[in-house]
Amino acid sequence: MDRIGVAVIGAGFMGKCHAQAWRVAGTVFDDLPAVSLELLCDIAPGADALASAWGFARAAADWRAVLDDPHVQVVSITTPNHLHPAQAQAALAAGKHVWCEKPMAPALAEAEAMAASAAAAGGCRTRLGYNYAANPLIDQAAALIAAGVIGTPLHFRGVVDEDYLADPALPWSWRCQARQAGLGALGDIGVHLVSLAHRLLGPIRRVTGTLQTVHRERQLPGGGVAAVENDDAMQALVQFAGGASGVLSASRLAWGRKNRLGFEVQGSAGTLCFDQERLNELHLFTAGGDPATSGFRRILAGPAHPPYGAFCPAPGHQLGFNDLKVIECASLLRGIAGGTPVRFDFAEGLAIERVVHAIARSAAIGAPVEVAGQGASGTG
């Protein structure tokens, strides 16, 4: 394949992130196939102007235009959650590779159907938008854990906090509706936390969860009120298949928190800490040595943490959110060109969805829940 044709469905914030990643990836990495931006799909009146500004050859109001387009080989899906299943399954059935934003779908059954469609599509590659797990320092953390630097992993403590719905005066939106959004804080941002937990310690096999809806109604933009049908906050106790325990929490009501996605992995010989608001720093403590000088040491991202060096030859110059999307994009392109597996494909994404829906189920019945498809041993 001399050139891979790309279509992006959805011209909002994430659509722009995907478009930028497709345009930039080849300038950062020199081992990728060439890309052509073929089609931008969005119902907004300004889609034609955006397509031109972002470098696409043309625009379409109907996303189904990508299905029979011979110039399109891969489709980015950045639409609201409830549209993901139909769009992803149709694209896969048409022989297109798919890069879809998280969460996979509002309902677990829909996510299962998406994973089944990806498996049936054979050579089609899929990728889900778990960009925070694409951070080079997350790979470094995983390598340190695998090498036994902090000993046997004992406990994972993770939190993801934002304040995008903290203000009770903010109007009702599709994110508050179960049919369109699915789960609330758990499904929207909690999935990122689960993606990091899986990346570092392997699958989660058992959960005990609670969900909380604080603002139960919100004003409709046109007047009146509507119920908030999903959770504002969640907490969960988890047990990993490898034996470690964990505590997860997520909130969309945390005033002052913009993207606090953080974790601490405690081991028998040390501890690792990370906070997405300082995404170029990893903190490591190892037991032993002189107590007078012992403490956490900061690992600053740099060329020693691939693929940081592809962006910048000097440490301390910082990667950002959009750079992580470029790394995501590059991994998908390599998978397409080489016919090789891609991390956080639909199969791996389904494992994450099973965890978050198990947490929701546990909260509903008030009891622990075993996560479907997770074994009792191994860290993955």
Side-chain angles (χ1 to χ4, degrees):
M1 188 181 299
D2 295 330
R3 185 174 292 269
I4 295 176
V6 172
V8 173
I9 306 175
F13 162 55
M14 289 311 303
K16 185 174 185 178
C17 290
H18 278 235
Q20 180 177 343
W22 286 118
R23 292 187 66 177
V24 170
T27 68
V28 176
F29 301 101
D30 58 11
D31 63 333
L32 303 180
V35 166
S36 62
L37 301 184
E38 295 291 337
L39 186 60
L40 177 65
C41 299
D42 199 282
I43 60 174
D48 286 326
L50 285 178
S52 177
W54 295 355
F56 286 87
R58 56 198 179 280
D62 188 344
W63 65 267
R64 294 170 185 82
V66 307
L67 302 179
D68 297 323
D69 192 324
H71 302 290
V72 172
Q73 285 79 48
V74 58
V75 180
S76 279
I77 299 173
T78 68
T79 49
N81 304 347
H82 71 289
L83 299 176
H84 294 177
Q87 292 173 344
Q89 290 177 269
L92 288 165
K96 315 293 186 184
H97 309 281
V98 175
W99 182 12
C100 182
E101 274 307 308
K102 43 54 60 187
M104 289 179 75
L108 180 58
E110 293 172 317
E112 290 171 340
M114 291 169 69
S117 293
C124 293
R125 296 289 173 257
T126 58
R127 168 95 200 197
L128 286 158
Y130 289 111
N131 52 296
Y132 302 121
N135 188 331
L137 286 186
I138 301 302
D139 285 340
Q140 179 64 36
L144 291 170
I145 293 169
V149 172
I150 63 168
T152 301
L154 303 175
H155 185 73
F156 179 95
R157 184 176 301 155
V159 60
V160 53
D161 286 337
E162 298 196 28
D163 64 0
Y164 61 90
L165 281 178
D167 187 348
L170 287 171
W172 188 94
S173 75
W174 66 267
R175 293 188 182 278
C176 301
Q177 186 182 55
R179 183 181 63 82
Q180 293 194 63
L183 299 168
L186 172 57
D188 189 21
I189 55 179
V191 289
H192 280 302
L193 188 58
V194 177
S195 77
L196 295 183
H198 270 207
R199 176 73 182 89
L200 297 173
L201 296 185
I204 293 169
R205 67 175 181 86
R206 184 180 176 89
V207 301
T208 304
T210 61
L211 302 181
Q212 182 182 22
T213 303
V214 175
H215 305 309
R216 296 187 174 274
E217 291 183 338
R218 289 187 179 271
Q219 294 288 325
L220 289 167
V225 298
V228 174
E229 299 174 354
N230 50 28
D231 54 288
D232 289 324
M234 78 88 180
Q235 301 81 37
L237 303 177
V238 304
Q239 191 74 35
F240 290 87
S245 64
V247 177
L248 312 179
S249 70
S251 175
R252 60 190 185 186
L253 305 181
W255 279 112
R257 295 298 186 184
K258 304 306 177 186
N259 191 12
R260 187 198 178 202
L261 175 59
F263 65 79
E264 181 171 301
V265 181
Q266 301 165 356
S268 60
T271 300
L272 275 168
C273 300
F274 173 81
D275 187 340
Q276 174 63 29
E277 289 183 347
R278 302 181 70 89
L279 66 88
N280 288 273
E281 298 177 12
L282 181 67
H283 293 264
L284 170 67
F285 179 92
T286 52
D290 184 354
T293 56
S294 68
F296 279 92
R297 65 178 183 268
R298 182 180 67 157
I299 301 170
L300 189 63
H305 310 106
Y308 178 103
F311 293 87
C312 181
H317 286 59
Q318 316 290 352
L319 297 185
F321 177 89
N322 287 317
D323 296 322
L324 302 186
K325 298 306 287 187
V326 173
I327 295 170
E328 252 193 279
C329 181
S331 76
L332 178 57
L333 282 170
R334 292 190 187 103
I336 293 171
T340 53
V342 178
R343 270 219 79 111
F344 295 106
D345 62 6
F346 281 10
E348 192 170 359
L350 177 58
I352 294 170
E353 292 292 328
R354 284 176 170 159
V355 171
V356 299
H357 285 278
I359 292 171
R361 174 66 176 159
S362 172
I365 66 175
V369 169
E370 299 291 327
V371 179
Q374 304 303 339
S377 64
T379 56

